[in-house]
Each structure stands twice: as structure tokens, then as C-alpha cells.
Amino acid sequence: EMTKQERQQFSGRTRAYLQARNNILLTWWQDCTCPVSLRAVLDAVDDSALAVTRDAFYFLQESGYINFGVLPEMAEPEAASAEGAAAPAAPEAAAAAEPEEDERAIVFKLYELLRAADMETTSEKAIRKDLQKHFKTDISDKKQLVKEHVNYFIEHLEQKATLEPKGYEGQ
């Protein structure tokens, strides 16, 4: 059975979503002490199911159905070197990867909001406010990014239910 939010978001691809959702949940329930990664989930599906599986993963994670209460383990630097393991990545390397992930998360949440929005009455400003509320941070520096994706979404409105974010097709 699907929730109202699932029915709205995955309208037109219900069967594919249910299969992806159930596979992701099964993976999570097999070991709830470890986070489920998007890469692991996508590696386990056919190419034809990549888009809906990716969307299902983000939906389940943002809705709190998977990866809740789990923090990645942090290796102690002394313990890692004593065991001959590779040293943890430099903080600069981790910080460099974060903006791309932050932008990706914003873009995918943006498309989720756009799919659920009434495009006759919703403004770009309202969408930006919803994004800020969701991420609990100022996204004024992402105004141009949001504008580009909103325009792309509007240009392809007839594909609303299945449109993949510009620049992230097939990911």
C-alpha cells in the first residue's frame, strides 16, 4: 500500500516505484545498523529502473524510512594507522565533495517540490522558501540554480511525472 504522498510523487510509475521501494526497504531492514547507500541500491538494479530507484531512494531517505538513527563510524586516526589501514581523507577533500552533494540534494528536492506544486499558482520564490525550510539553511546563493531548473521544468511540463533533473539524467 502507498501513502498519499507516494501516490502523488510516483503517479504514472506506481508499479516500478513499489518494486524499487520494497527492494530498498528490504536492504535497509537486513541491517539497520548500517546506512544504505544510493550506489549500492543502484548497482543492484537494471538500467531501466535507475531513475525510479534513485527517486525512491531519495524519497525514502528524506521521509525517514531508511538510514534513520545511523551515523557513519569515524575511524580514530591512531587506530587506522596502527592497523595498517589507509588514513582518513583530509578535511579539505571531504569539504570539496560537499558542495556538489549539497547542490544535488537541492536539485532533487526542487524537482520533488515542482512535481507536487500547482504550477499555475506557485512562484519561484515560494519554491525557494520551501527549499530553505526543508534544508534549514539560506540558499540565496543558489537562486540562479533554482531559476534554471524551474525554467527547464516548465519547458518540459508535459513530462512532469518522469522528468529527470537537467544535468542529472540517468543518475
Side-chain angles (χ1 to χ4, degrees):
E1 192 161 322
M2 294 175 62
T3 65
K4 181 179 178 182
Q5 188 177 7
E6 286 174 309
R7 284 191 303 276
Q8 287 175 340
Q9 184 158 343
F10 297 97
S11 166
R13 52 186 183 156
T14 304
R15 181 174 289 180
Y17 166 71
L18 285 173
Q19 185 174 3
R21 178 195 72 179
N22 292 344
N23 287 338
I24 294 167
L25 290 174
L26 180 62
T27 302
W28 167 245
W29 290 332
Q30 286 174 345
D31 186 0
C32 296
T33 63
C34 295
V36 175
S37 74
L38 177 60
R39 176 60 37 216
V41 168
L42 293 179
D43 286 346
V45 299
D46 294 332
D47 288 348
S48 63
L50 288 175
V52 71
T53 301
R54 181 203 57 236
D55 293 347
F57 177 87
Y58 285 119
F59 174 82
L60 293 169
Q61 184 164 285
E62 290 172 4
S63 300
Y65 292 110
I66 60 170
N67 294 341
F68 56 87
V70 179
L71 294 175
E73 290 187 26
M74 301 293 285
E76 294 293 324
E78 302 85 54
S81 59
E83 297 171 9
E92 299 83 24
E98 288 178 13
E100 186 177 310
E101 276 301 309
D102 289 346
E103 184 173 297
R104 179 186 171 90
I106 289 169
V107 169
F108 279 91
K109 183 63 179 178
L110 170 61
Y111 277 69
E112 180 183 325
L113 292 171
L114 290 170
R115 284 186 189 101
D118 176 358
M119 298 308 291
E120 296 292 323
T121 60
T122 301
S123 69
E124 186 181 314
K125 184 176 182 178
I127 294 290
R128 281 196 317 273
K129 282 185 178 183
D130 287 345
L131 286 169
Q132 285 189 170
K133 183 178 175 183
H134 175 80
F135 289 105
K136 297 178 179 93
T137 188
D138 179 34
I139 63 161
S140 57
D141 62 324
K142 304 289 186 197
K143 187 175 183 177
Q144 185 59 35
L145 174 76
V146 171
K147 181 181 187 98
E148 289 173 13
H149 282 279
V150 167
N151 288 337
Y152 178 77
F153 188 87
I154 291 170
E155 290 169 9
H156 298 88
L157 199 54
E158 69 281 354
Q159 301 167 11
K160 179 179 181 175
T162 60
L163 184 65
E164 296 185 52
K166 180 179 177 184
Y168 295 94
E169 297 90 347
Q171 292 186 17

